[in-house]
Amino acid sequence: MTKQSDDRRIAVLSALRECESCSGEALATSLGVSRVAVRKHVTALREMGYEIEARAGEGYRLTSTPDAPLPYEVAPLMRTAFYPRIDGKVRTGSTNDDARALALADAPEGTVVLAREQESGRGRLGRRWTSPAGGLYASIVLRPEVETPQAIVLPLVVGVGTALGLESLGADVRLKWPNDLLAPDGRKIGGILCEGLSEGWRITWIVAGIGINVRHAPDEAPCVCLDDLVGRRVPLATAAAALLDGIAEAYARWSRDGFDPLRADYERRSWLDGREVTVSDVHGGVLASGIASGIDATGRLIVETAEGPKAMLAGDVTLREPTTREA
Ligand code: BT5
């Protein structure tokens, strides 16, 4: 859709918000478009989930706005100007797949895909991300100007940004290296999945995907939802705007100053520090066992093992305590 057409759709929506009942003709005249164009915009808005009644002789009436992270709801709530394009859907397969397709089609940095339900949401290593309606699923196209190995820290940067966003809504969150968001009691509220393409030392694109349980806590390993954490119903558009603002802030700091200055922000929220952990590789092989003692300047997890400190670049972390939970 062109910018002009998008602006007209927003204008149709604003007009519908302001009048009890607007005739197609009045809308067409005030916006300077044909009645056919008005009808097309109304159809498109309905497809996005807006309920718009059309009565013969009376015109159009907006009867409900969906609780969904739709661009026309999210954009006015955002502080940042980082995101040039926001696509919002009620339902999709995986926002990471949608964002990847946009990245491959040269979408600029900051292009976002949002949804409130995913049919095939995924976690790391092909694991499933349960994505019922009422969650927030977001994927952002990033094109960081760093060498490929430096981007390994991106899930942590996005984690800090996500925490900033959820905290602005009143949630107390912790970060579990490398990509989990937890409540202080260890229940999982969200996760981050970064996928990308590089050419040698240059990153072509990275899609940062974030899944947050907002309305419901799915029937998974101990998990929690945002509404329960903050004790009120958070509209999905509000949650999306807060998330995107938080991530834009952390990403801008990382792009400018690198990870080191963000390290304190990560460690302050780190759920693992001081706990006995086992870090495993993709096949379940143990890479390190000991006490997690922090994150280094490049984002690696430091584990104090019997043989001395070990710095972990990647892996799954389980606790070696009675509350052991899978990542
Ligand atoms: C993650 O993987 O935690 C990353 C999840 C990223 C999801 C987002 S949603 C938007 C974007 N589009 C996608 O398709 N994906 C991204 P991992 O660390 O591998 O954790 C997966 C594990 O978390 C599963 O094996 C379950 O144990 C658990 N799990 C699944 N769904 C959950 C949920 N909704 N809430 C809490 N835990 C969940």
Side-chain angles (χ1 to χ4, degrees), residues 94-96 118 121-124 127-128 130 179 188 213 218:
S94 155
T95 54
N96 261 35
Q118 293 184 125
R122 60 172 185 277
R124 293 179 304 152
R127 290 189 281 239
R128 198 164 70 99
T130 307
N179 71 315
K188 186 161 171 173
N213 302 322

